């Protein structure tokens, strides 16, 4: 049994995803995953701390890609553009794992404890982005708003990408979500200009 | 000892907040809180399941206020307006407890497990708002974007309200945050119109 062959992590991930689909996430053990991959539990634990990490193992690369992109964005770029461009920089990362992303998304949606972990990871990422924008000289309020608006675009863009029967890129769907956010924010603005809003009371 | 006097819950809350400030949240027990309020532990447990609930006991009223406001918003009002107006409808709720809200906010900010609980409560609330907007006929993407943008406005408005030395209303700060979001989203749009964005590549 080749313990350090380059695709060990991929074999374990594939075995885990098969078993999660066949038996359910809760009913799958690390022993099952290792056996399906033709590896030992010891090998499994060399790559993942537990079965949950099979789903979150890529998060580090994803987060690093985002944070690096925000950090290296030119200061001339508006904060929201810096955040949306950072999301778009993960397009290749996700393109290589569209099938995995679809299965992972469905699994997380049906398990509250996985949703919580995803939520906490995204919140930590958001805090890092806010800090980077503030270092660029953006005010705390604008940094928070750009980060949250960017996350909303990322969330909607990702959901549309996951479901797209035409398999268009994440960047395509991020641009679409961004235009939708502009419409959603602009629509309110228009209503306000027409004096139909009670918020000015 | 009057067990059902009307302000028992307030007395327990006040005692808990005093002790959290004096000894720290982690070092305060339910026994301490009851003793400080001059009540029994048994009485405490009639109002709260644990000491954490002293901080989250008002969440139900807060969430109900928001959800009711979104549900009863006229269909002519744009989705984002419905969400921001719902936040503004909690202005009185918060005005009555500004001192508590300040202490609570500082406590939550310094305890990750409390932050996680707050985050999960807000996410549950967001899901409820998205559903209500979809029932109004808003698309899933626009409902998510309006909800997330509204939460961002709520978050920033609340943070500014908490810190405002002039004690202006939450509604005032929500309106300010909304205008800031319009600027943040519009700034990106302008950059795009000028062709300075690389997102169209």
């Amino acid at each position: 049994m080749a313990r350090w062959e380059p695709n060990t992590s991929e074999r374990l991930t594939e075995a885990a995803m098969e078993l999660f689909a066949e038996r359910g996430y809760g009913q799958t053990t690390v022993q099952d995953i290792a056996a399906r991959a033709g590896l030992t539990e010891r090998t499994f634990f060399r790559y993942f701390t537990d079965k949950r990490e099979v789903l979150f193992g890529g998060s580090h690369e994803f987060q690093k890609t985002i944070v690096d992109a925000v950090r290296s964005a030119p200061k001339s770029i508006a904060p929201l553009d810096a955040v949306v461009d950072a999301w778009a920089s993960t397009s290749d990362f996700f393109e290589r794992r569209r099938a995995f992303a679809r299965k992972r998304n469905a699994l997380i949606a049906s398990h509250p404890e996985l949703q919580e972990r995803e939520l906490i990871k995204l919140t930590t990422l958001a805090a890092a982005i806010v800090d980077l924008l503030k270092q660029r000289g953006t005010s705390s309020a604008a940094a928070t708003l750009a980060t949250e608006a960017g996350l909303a675009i990322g969330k909607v863009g990702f959901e549309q990408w996951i479901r797209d029967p035409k398999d268009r890129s994440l960047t395509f769907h991020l641009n679409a979500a961004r235009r939708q956010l502009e419409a959603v924010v602009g629509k309110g603005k228009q209503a306000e200009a027409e004096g139909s809003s009670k918020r000015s009371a």
Side-chain angles (χ1 to χ4, degrees), chain A residues 66-86 89 132-138:
Chain A
I66 299 262
V67 165
D68 287 350
V70 174
R71 189 179 285 123
S72 61
K75 289 208 174 176
S76 60
I77 285 192
L80 182 60
D81 287 332
V83 180
V84 177
D85 286 350
S89 75
L132 287 171
L133 292 178
K134 281 158 73 176
Q135 285 168 30
R136 284 163 49 106
T138 305

Side-chain angles (χ1 to χ4, degrees), chain A residues 188-200:
Chain A
K189 205 173 178 179
Q190 195 179 9
E192 195 172 9
E194 286 162 6
S196 66
S197 167
K198 62 186 178 185
R199 274 167 305 97
S200 54

Side-chain angles (χ1 to χ4, degrees), chain A residues 55-70 83 86-94 96-97 104 118 121-126 129 150-151 154-155 158 170 174:
Chain A
L55 298 169
F56 291 95
S59 292
H60 181 73
E61 185 186 341
F62 164 72
Q63 299 209 7
K64 194 179 173 314
T65 304
I66 299 262
V67 165
D68 287 350
V70 174
V83 180
W87 277 100
S89 75
T90 66
S91 199
D92 288 346
F93 169 88
F94 282 113
R96 291 195 305 274
R97 52 186 85 195
R104 179 184 182 278
E118 181 86 324
K121 288 217 165 195
L122 280 175
T123 306
T124 308
L125 176 60
I129 296 173
L151 281 180
K155 190 175 169 179
F158 184 79
L170 180 59
L174 289 171

